[in-house]
Amino acid sequence: MGAMGLSPQNRASEIKKLYDPFRNIFVEANPEEVIRQKILHYLVSTLHYPKEMMVIEKQLSELPHLQEQVGQAPKRRLDILCYALLFEKLVPLLLLECKGVPLQREMLPQVMGYNSYIQAPFFALVNGEEILLGWKEKEEYRYIDYIPSYENLRGYCNTYLIHTYDSK
């Protein structure tokens, strides 16, 4: 097995595969998937995001908190969504979109469009070299170039977003 759980496999068709330990399947080792596996490993092993609180490569309509809205969500797949238990409710915390190319601000509308349905307080673009994490604060978007730990993001939500989740 390779570093960080990445195991490229050659098949008869010469398509390289890698094992995804989060979904327990082999997936095509395209650049975006390699990024996804690296960021998942980083989130769990370094930033302590609970594996069981993550959704990977799911249709928006398959998300637990959007079940009542089936038919309204576009038929799109998200890359990674991290949930948190806040105020005794399972809520989206961080939406991540993985890119196999250099990040550009022009890519933000894609992840922000997904987030208009998901309603995570934080969203990010990642590509293995760069991170652009954003959130809305007082009608203005703010950005940083790193992903805070799971506990730090949960703590921020507990402190500053109490009104958002108390009313739901």
Side-chain angles (χ1 to χ4, degrees), residues 51-102:
K51 182 178 174 181
E52 62 276 5
M53 295 294 235
M54 293 184 182
V55 173
I56 302 152
E57 277 269 296
K58 290 284 184 192
Q59 293 281 342
L60 296 181
S61 61
E62 295 177 285
L63 299 177
H65 74 286
L66 295 180
Q67 290 301 305
E68 300 86 41
Q69 299 175 19
V70 172
Q72 295 177 6
K75 293 186 180 197
R76 295 186 183 160
R77 294 180 76 82
L78 60 80
D79 284 332
I80 302 168
L81 178 60
C82 304
Y83 281 91
L85 192 59
L86 296 172
F87 313 108
E88 300 180 20
K89 296 176 186 170
L90 184 66
V91 297
L93 178 66
L94 171 62
L95 172 64
L96 296 111
E97 179 66 25
C98 302
K99 298 292 185 186
V101 297

Short mmCIF file of all heavy atoms in Angstrom, two decimals, residues 51-102:
data_model
loop_
_atom_site.label_atom_id
_atom_site.label_comp_id
_atom_site.label_asym_id
_atom_site.label_seq_id
_atom_site.Cartn_x
_atom_site.Cartn_y
_atom_site.Cartn_z
N LYS A 51 -14.34 10.51 10.59
CA LYS A 51 -14.65 9.82 9.33
C LYS A 51 -16.15 9.58 9.18
O LYS A 51 -16.71 9.72 8.11
CB LYS A 51 -13.87 8.51 9.29
CG LYS A 51 -14.03 7.70 8.07
CD LYS A 51 -13.17 6.44 8.15
CE LYS A 51 -13.41 5.52 7.00
NZ LYS A 51 -12.60 4.30 7.08
N GLU A 52 -16.79 9.24 10.30
CA GLU A 52 -18.22 8.93 10.25
C GLU A 52 -19.10 10.17 10.06
O GLU A 52 -20.30 10.06 9.84
CB GLU A 52 -18.66 8.16 11.51
CG GLU A 52 -18.47 8.92 12.80
CD GLU A 52 -17.06 8.82 13.40
OE1 GLU A 52 -16.15 8.23 12.77
OE2 GLU A 52 -16.87 9.35 14.49
N MET A 53 -18.50 11.35 10.11
CA MET A 53 -19.25 12.60 9.90
C MET A 53 -18.99 13.18 8.51
O MET A 53 -19.24 14.36 8.27
CB MET A 53 -18.87 13.63 10.97
CG MET A 53 -19.28 13.23 12.36
SD MET A 53 -21.05 13.18 12.51
CE MET A 53 -21.28 14.26 13.87
N MET A 54 -18.50 12.34 7.59
CA MET A 54 -18.19 12.79 6.24
C MET A 54 -19.04 12.06 5.21
O MET A 54 -19.31 10.88 5.36
CB MET A 54 -16.72 12.55 5.92
CG MET A 54 -15.78 13.38 6.72
SD MET A 54 -14.12 13.03 6.12
CE MET A 54 -13.20 14.04 7.23
N VAL A 55 -19.40 12.81 4.19
CA VAL A 55 -20.08 12.26 3.02
C VAL A 55 -19.16 12.53 1.84
O VAL A 55 -18.67 13.65 1.68
CB VAL A 55 -21.45 12.93 2.83
CG1 VAL A 55 -22.10 12.50 1.54
CG2 VAL A 55 -22.35 12.65 4.02
N ILE A 56 -18.95 11.51 1.01
CA ILE A 56 -18.00 11.62 -0.10
C ILE A 56 -18.69 11.24 -1.40
O ILE A 56 -19.33 10.18 -1.48
CB ILE A 56 -16.78 10.70 0.15
CG1 ILE A 56 -16.12 11.09 1.47
CG2 ILE A 56 -15.79 10.78 -1.00
CD1 ILE A 56 -15.42 9.97 2.16
N GLU A 57 -18.55 12.11 -2.41
CA GLU A 57 -19.07 11.85 -3.75
C GLU A 57 -20.53 11.43 -3.72
O GLU A 57 -20.88 10.33 -4.14
CB GLU A 57 -18.24 10.76 -4.42
CG GLU A 57 -16.97 11.25 -5.06
CD GLU A 57 -17.18 11.63 -6.52
OE1 GLU A 57 -17.49 10.78 -7.35
OE2 GLU A 57 -17.01 12.84 -6.79
N LYS A 58 -21.39 12.31 -3.26
CA LYS A 58 -22.83 12.02 -3.18
C LYS A 58 -23.62 13.03 -4.00
O LYS A 58 -23.22 14.19 -4.13
CB LYS A 58 -23.32 12.09 -1.74
CG LYS A 58 -22.84 10.98 -0.85
CD LYS A 58 -23.59 9.71 -1.12
CE LYS A 58 -23.16 8.64 -0.15
NZ LYS A 58 -23.61 7.34 -0.50
N GLN A 59 -24.74 12.58 -4.52
CA GLN A 59 -25.69 13.48 -5.16
C GLN A 59 -26.26 14.39 -4.07
O GLN A 59 -26.46 13.94 -2.93
CB GLN A 59 -26.84 12.70 -5.80
CG GLN A 59 -26.44 11.86 -6.98
CD GLN A 59 -26.27 12.68 -8.24
OE1 GLN A 59 -26.75 13.81 -8.36
NE2 GLN A 59 -25.58 12.11 -9.20
N LEU A 60 -26.56 15.62 -4.40
CA LEU A 60 -27.16 16.53 -3.41
C LEU A 60 -28.45 15.94 -2.85
O LEU A 60 -28.74 16.07 -1.67
CB LEU A 60 -27.41 17.90 -4.02
CG LEU A 60 -26.19 18.70 -4.48
CD1 LEU A 60 -26.61 20.04 -5.02
CD2 LEU A 60 -25.18 18.85 -3.38
N SER A 61 -29.22 15.28 -3.69
CA SER A 61 -30.50 14.71 -3.25
C SER A 61 -30.33 13.55 -2.27
O SER A 61 -31.29 13.15 -1.62
CB SER A 61 -31.31 14.24 -4.46
OG SER A 61 -30.60 13.24 -5.16
N GLU A 62 -29.12 13.00 -2.14
CA GLU A 62 -28.87 11.89 -1.23
C GLU A 62 -28.44 12.34 0.17
O GLU A 62 -28.26 11.51 1.05
CB GLU A 62 -27.76 10.98 -1.78
CG GLU A 62 -28.11 10.28 -3.06
CD GLU A 62 -26.95 9.46 -3.59
OE1 GLU A 62 -26.00 10.06 -4.12
OE2 GLU A 62 -27.00 8.22 -3.43
N LEU A 63 -28.25 13.63 0.36
CA LEU A 63 -27.76 14.13 1.64
C LEU A 63 -28.84 14.03 2.72
O LEU A 63 -29.99 14.38 2.47
CB LEU A 63 -27.28 15.56 1.51
CG LEU A 63 -26.13 15.77 0.53
CD1 LEU A 63 -25.78 17.24 0.41
CD2 LEU A 63 -24.92 14.95 0.92
N PRO A 64 -28.47 13.55 3.92
CA PRO A 64 -29.46 13.34 4.98
C PRO A 64 -30.30 14.58 5.30
O PRO A 64 -31.51 14.47 5.45
CB PRO A 64 -28.62 12.94 6.19
CG PRO A 64 -27.32 12.49 5.66
CD PRO A 64 -27.12 13.19 4.35
N HIS A 65 -29.68 15.73 5.36
CA HIS A 65 -30.42 16.93 5.76
C HIS A 65 -31.25 17.53 4.62
O HIS A 65 -32.01 18.46 4.85
CB HIS A 65 -29.48 17.97 6.37
CG HIS A 65 -28.61 18.66 5.37
ND1 HIS A 65 -27.54 18.05 4.77
CD2 HIS A 65 -28.67 19.91 4.87
CE1 HIS A 65 -26.96 18.89 3.93
NE2 HIS A 65 -27.63 20.03 3.98
N LEU A 66 -31.14 16.98 3.41
CA LEU A 66 -31.91 17.48 2.27
C LEU A 66 -32.98 16.50 1.81
O LEU A 66 -33.59 16.70 0.76
CB LEU A 66 -30.98 17.81 1.09
CG LEU A 66 -29.98 18.94 1.30
CD1 LEU A 66 -29.14 19.15 0.06
CD2 LEU A 66 -30.69 20.23 1.68
N GLN A 67 -33.22 15.44 2.58
CA GLN A 67 -34.17 14.42 2.16
C GLN A 67 -35.56 14.97 1.89
O GLN A 67 -36.24 14.52 0.99
CB GLN A 67 -34.24 13.29 3.20
CG GLN A 67 -32.99 12.45 3.26
CD GLN A 67 -32.67 11.79 1.93
OE1 GLN A 67 -33.49 11.10 1.36
NE2 GLN A 67 -31.47 12.01 1.42
N GLU A 68 -36.01 15.94 2.65
CA GLU A 68 -37.34 16.51 2.46
C GLU A 68 -37.41 17.35 1.18
O GLU A 68 -38.49 17.64 0.69
CB GLU A 68 -37.75 17.41 3.64
CG GLU A 68 -37.81 16.70 4.98
CD GLU A 68 -36.45 16.65 5.67
OE1 GLU A 68 -35.71 17.65 5.65
OE2 GLU A 68 -36.14 15.60 6.24
N GLN A 69 -36.26 17.77 0.65
CA GLN A 69 -36.23 18.65 -0.50
C GLN A 69 -35.94 17.92 -1.80
O GLN A 69 -35.55 18.53 -2.79
CB GLN A 69 -35.17 19.73 -0.30
CG GLN A 69 -35.43 20.61 0.90
CD GLN A 69 -34.29 21.59 1.11
OE1 GLN A 69 -33.50 21.85 0.23
NE2 GLN A 69 -34.20 22.12 2.31
N VAL A 70 -36.11 16.59 -1.82
CA VAL A 70 -35.82 15.82 -3.02
C VAL A 70 -36.66 16.39 -4.17
O VAL A 70 -37.83 16.69 -4.01
CB VAL A 70 -36.11 14.32 -2.80
CG1 VAL A 70 -36.01 13.55 -4.10
CG2 VAL A 70 -35.16 13.76 -1.77
N GLY A 71 -36.03 16.54 -5.30
CA GLY A 71 -36.70 17.14 -6.45
C GLY A 71 -36.34 18.60 -6.62
O GLY A 71 -36.42 19.13 -7.72
N GLN A 72 -35.92 19.26 -5.55
CA GLN A 72 -35.54 20.66 -5.63
C GLN A 72 -34.05 20.84 -5.86
O GLN A 72 -33.63 21.81 -6.46
CB GLN A 72 -35.95 21.38 -4.35
CG GLN A 72 -37.43 21.43 -4.14
CD GLN A 72 -37.80 22.09 -2.82
OE1 GLN A 72 -36.95 22.60 -2.10
NE2 GLN A 72 -39.07 22.08 -2.49
N ALA A 73 -33.25 19.91 -5.35
CA ALA A 73 -31.79 20.01 -5.49
C ALA A 73 -31.38 19.61 -6.91
O ALA A 73 -31.93 18.68 -7.47
CB ALA A 73 -31.09 19.13 -4.47
N PRO A 74 -30.39 20.31 -7.48
CA PRO A 74 -29.92 19.94 -8.81
C PRO A 74 -29.23 18.57 -8.77
O PRO A 74 -28.76 18.13 -7.73
CB PRO A 74 -28.93 21.04 -9.17
CG PRO A 74 -28.55 21.67 -7.88
CD PRO A 74 -29.67 21.45 -6.93
N LYS A 75 -29.17 17.91 -9.91
CA LYS A 75 -28.53 16.59 -9.99
C LYS A 75 -27.03 16.79 -10.15
O LYS A 75 -26.49 16.69 -11.25
CB LYS A 75 -29.12 15.79 -11.14
CG LYS A 75 -30.55 15.43 -10.88
CD LYS A 75 -31.10 14.52 -11.94
CE LYS A 75 -32.53 14.23 -11.56
NZ LYS A 75 -33.08 13.12 -12.22
N ARG A 76 -26.39 17.08 -9.05
CA ARG A 76 -24.94 17.30 -9.02
C ARG A 76 -24.36 16.50 -7.87
O ARG A 76 -25.02 16.24 -6.88
CB ARG A 76 -24.63 18.79 -8.82
CG ARG A 76 -25.08 19.62 -9.97
CD ARG A 76 -24.62 21.04 -9.79
NE ARG A 76 -25.12 21.86 -10.87
CZ ARG A 76 -25.21 23.16 -10.81
NH1 ARG A 76 -24.85 23.80 -9.72
NH2 ARG A 76 -25.67 23.84 -11.83
N ARG A 77 -23.09 16.16 -8.02
CA ARG A 77 -22.39 15.40 -6.99
C ARG A 77 -21.39 16.32 -6.29
O ARG A 77 -20.62 17.00 -6.93
CB ARG A 77 -21.62 14.23 -7.60
CG ARG A 77 -22.50 13.17 -8.19
CD ARG A 77 -21.68 12.04 -8.77
NE ARG A 77 -21.15 11.16 -7.75
CZ ARG A 77 -21.83 10.18 -7.18
NH1 ARG A 77 -23.06 9.95 -7.52
NH2 ARG A 77 -21.27 9.41 -6.27
N LEU A 78 -21.41 16.28 -4.97
CA LEU A 78 -20.41 17.03 -4.21
C LEU A 78 -19.19 16.13 -3.99
O LEU A 78 -19.28 14.92 -4.10
CB LEU A 78 -20.99 17.51 -2.88
CG LEU A 78 -21.50 16.48 -1.88
CD1 LEU A 78 -20.39 15.83 -1.10
CD2 LEU A 78 -22.47 17.14 -0.94
N ASP A 79 -18.06 16.75 -3.69
CA ASP A 79 -16.84 15.97 -3.43
C ASP A 79 -16.81 15.50 -1.98
O ASP A 79 -16.79 14.30 -1.72
CB ASP A 79 -15.59 16.79 -3.75
CG ASP A 79 -15.35 16.89 -5.25
OD1 ASP A 79 -15.75 15.97 -5.98
OD2 ASP A 79 -14.75 17.89 -5.68
N ILE A 80 -16.77 16.43 -1.04
CA ILE A 80 -16.69 16.08 0.39
C ILE A 80 -17.57 17.04 1.17
O ILE A 80 -17.52 18.25 0.96
CB ILE A 80 -15.24 16.20 0.92
CG1 ILE A 80 -14.28 15.32 0.13
CG2 ILE A 80 -15.19 15.86 2.41
CD1 ILE A 80 -12.80 15.60 0.41
N LEU A 81 -18.35 16.48 2.09
CA LEU A 81 -19.14 17.30 3.00
C LEU A 81 -18.91 16.76 4.41
O LEU A 81 -19.11 15.57 4.66
CB LEU A 81 -20.63 17.25 2.66
CG LEU A 81 -21.56 18.03 3.58
CD1 LEU A 81 -21.22 19.51 3.62
CD2 LEU A 81 -23.01 17.82 3.16
N CYS A 82 -18.48 17.64 5.30
CA CYS A 82 -18.27 17.28 6.70
C CYS A 82 -19.45 17.80 7.51
O CYS A 82 -19.83 18.97 7.38
CB CYS A 82 -16.98 17.90 7.23
SG CYS A 82 -15.53 17.44 6.26
N TYR A 83 -20.00 16.93 8.34
CA TYR A 83 -21.11 17.29 9.21
C TYR A 83 -20.60 17.48 10.64
O TYR A 83 -19.50 17.05 10.98
CB TYR A 83 -22.16 16.17 9.24
CG TYR A 83 -23.07 16.15 8.04
CD1 TYR A 83 -22.74 15.40 6.92
CD2 TYR A 83 -24.26 16.86 8.03
CE1 TYR A 83 -23.58 15.36 5.82
CE2 TYR A 83 -25.11 16.83 6.94
CZ TYR A 83 -24.77 16.07 5.84
OH TYR A 83 -25.60 16.04 4.76
N ALA A 84 -21.44 18.10 11.45
CA ALA A 84 -21.15 18.25 12.88
C ALA A 84 -22.47 18.11 13.63
O ALA A 84 -23.54 18.41 13.09
CB ALA A 84 -20.53 19.60 13.18
N LEU A 85 -22.37 17.69 14.85
CA LEU A 85 -23.52 17.65 15.75
C LEU A 85 -23.49 18.96 16.52
O LEU A 85 -22.62 19.17 17.38
CB LEU A 85 -23.43 16.45 16.69
CG LEU A 85 -24.69 16.13 17.48
CD1 LEU A 85 -25.87 15.86 16.55
CD2 LEU A 85 -24.46 14.94 18.38
N LEU A 86 -24.39 19.87 16.17
CA LEU A 86 -24.46 21.18 16.81
C LEU A 86 -25.86 21.38 17.37
O LEU A 86 -26.84 21.20 16.64
CB LEU A 86 -24.16 22.30 15.81
CG LEU A 86 -22.76 22.32 15.20
CD1 LEU A 86 -22.69 23.36 14.10
CD2 LEU A 86 -21.73 22.61 16.27
N PHE A 87 -25.94 21.74 18.62
CA PHE A 87 -27.22 22.01 19.25
C PHE A 87 -28.17 20.83 19.08
O PHE A 87 -29.34 20.98 18.75
CB PHE A 87 -27.84 23.32 18.73
CG PHE A 87 -26.84 24.44 18.71
CD1 PHE A 87 -26.32 24.91 17.53
CD2 PHE A 87 -26.39 24.99 19.90
CE1 PHE A 87 -25.38 25.93 17.52
CE2 PHE A 87 -25.45 26.02 19.89
CZ PHE A 87 -24.95 26.48 18.71
N GLU A 88 -27.60 19.62 19.24
CA GLU A 88 -28.33 18.36 19.16
C GLU A 88 -28.91 18.07 17.78
O GLU A 88 -29.87 17.32 17.65
CB GLU A 88 -29.41 18.29 20.24
CG GLU A 88 -28.82 18.40 21.64
CD GLU A 88 -29.88 18.34 22.73
OE1 GLU A 88 -30.99 17.85 22.47
OE2 GLU A 88 -29.57 18.79 23.84
N LYS A 89 -28.34 18.68 16.75
CA LYS A 89 -28.77 18.45 15.37
C LYS A 89 -27.57 18.14 14.50
O LYS A 89 -26.50 18.74 14.67
CB LYS A 89 -29.48 19.68 14.81
CG LYS A 89 -30.76 20.03 15.53
CD LYS A 89 -31.35 21.31 14.99
CE LYS A 89 -32.55 21.69 15.84
NZ LYS A 89 -33.04 23.01 15.54
N LEU A 90 -27.74 17.21 13.55
CA LEU A 90 -26.71 16.92 12.58
C LEU A 90 -26.82 17.97 11.47
O LEU A 90 -27.85 18.06 10.80
CB LEU A 90 -26.90 15.52 12.00
CG LEU A 90 -25.82 15.05 11.03
CD1 LEU A 90 -24.49 14.90 11.76
CD2 LEU A 90 -26.23 13.74 10.38
N VAL A 91 -25.78 18.78 11.32
CA VAL A 91 -25.82 19.88 10.36
C VAL A 91 -24.54 19.90 9.52
O VAL A 91 -23.48 19.47 9.97
CB VAL A 91 -25.99 21.26 11.06
CG1 VAL A 91 -27.32 21.32 11.79
CG2 VAL A 91 -24.85 21.53 12.01
N PRO A 92 -24.62 20.40 8.28
CA PRO A 92 -23.42 20.54 7.46
C PRO A 92 -22.46 21.54 8.10
O PRO A 92 -22.90 22.55 8.63
CB PRO A 92 -23.93 21.07 6.13
CG PRO A 92 -25.40 21.00 6.19
CD PRO A 92 -25.81 20.87 7.62
N LEU A 93 -21.18 21.24 8.04
CA LEU A 93 -20.17 22.11 8.62
C LEU A 93 -19.25 22.70 7.55
O LEU A 93 -19.02 23.89 7.49
CB LEU A 93 -19.34 21.34 9.65
CG LEU A 93 -18.20 22.09 10.32
CD1 LEU A 93 -18.75 23.22 11.21
CD2 LEU A 93 -17.33 21.14 11.15
N LEU A 94 -18.72 21.82 6.69
CA LEU A 94 -17.71 22.23 5.71
C LEU A 94 -17.92 21.47 4.41
O LEU A 94 -17.91 20.24 4.40
CB LEU A 94 -16.31 21.96 6.26
CG LEU A 94 -15.13 22.13 5.32
CD1 LEU A 94 -15.00 23.56 4.81
CD2 LEU A 94 -13.83 21.69 6.00
N LEU A 95 -18.09 22.20 3.32
CA LEU A 95 -18.20 21.63 1.98
C LEU A 95 -16.88 21.85 1.26
O LEU A 95 -16.39 22.98 1.21
CB LEU A 95 -19.34 22.33 1.22
CG LEU A 95 -19.48 21.98 -0.25
CD1 LEU A 95 -19.83 20.51 -0.44
CD2 LEU A 95 -20.53 22.88 -0.89
N LEU A 96 -16.32 20.78 0.71
CA LEU A 96 -15.05 20.88 -0.01
C LEU A 96 -15.22 20.43 -1.45
O LEU A 96 -15.81 19.38 -1.72
CB LEU A 96 -13.98 20.00 0.64
CG LEU A 96 -13.59 20.41 2.05
CD1 LEU A 96 -14.06 19.38 3.03
CD2 LEU A 96 -12.11 20.61 2.14
N GLU A 97 -14.66 21.21 -2.35
CA GLU A 97 -14.64 20.88 -3.77
C GLU A 97 -13.18 20.67 -4.15
O GLU A 97 -12.34 21.55 -3.93
CB GLU A 97 -15.26 22.02 -4.59
CG GLU A 97 -15.27 21.79 -6.07
CD GLU A 97 -16.17 20.64 -6.50
OE1 GLU A 97 -17.14 20.30 -5.78
OE2 GLU A 97 -15.92 20.08 -7.59
N CYS A 98 -12.87 19.48 -4.69
CA CYS A 98 -11.49 19.13 -5.05
C CYS A 98 -11.25 19.43 -6.52
O CYS A 98 -12.08 19.11 -7.38
CB CYS A 98 -11.26 17.65 -4.78
SG CYS A 98 -11.56 17.18 -3.08
N LYS A 99 -10.10 20.01 -6.81
CA LYS A 99 -9.73 20.36 -8.17
C LYS A 99 -8.36 19.78 -8.49
O LYS A 99 -7.47 19.80 -7.64
CB LYS A 99 -9.69 21.88 -8.36
CG LYS A 99 -11.02 22.57 -8.13
CD LYS A 99 -11.98 22.20 -9.22
CE LYS A 99 -13.28 22.96 -9.10
NZ LYS A 99 -14.27 22.49 -10.07
N GLY A 100 -8.20 19.30 -9.71
CA GLY A 100 -6.91 18.76 -10.14
C GLY A 100 -6.09 19.78 -10.90
O GLY A 100 -5.14 19.41 -11.59
N VAL A 101 -6.45 21.05 -10.78
CA VAL A 101 -5.78 22.15 -11.48
C VAL A 101 -5.53 23.29 -10.49
O VAL A 101 -6.12 23.29 -9.40
CB VAL A 101 -6.63 22.66 -12.67
CG1 VAL A 101 -6.82 21.57 -13.72
CG2 VAL A 101 -7.97 23.18 -12.19
N PRO A 102 -4.70 24.28 -10.84
CA PRO A 102 -4.50 25.42 -9.94
C PRO A 102 -5.82 26.13 -9.65
O PRO A 102 -6.68 26.26 -10.53
CB PRO A 102 -3.55 26.34 -10.73
CG PRO A 102 -2.80 25.41 -11.63
CD PRO A 102 -3.80 24.35 -12.01
#
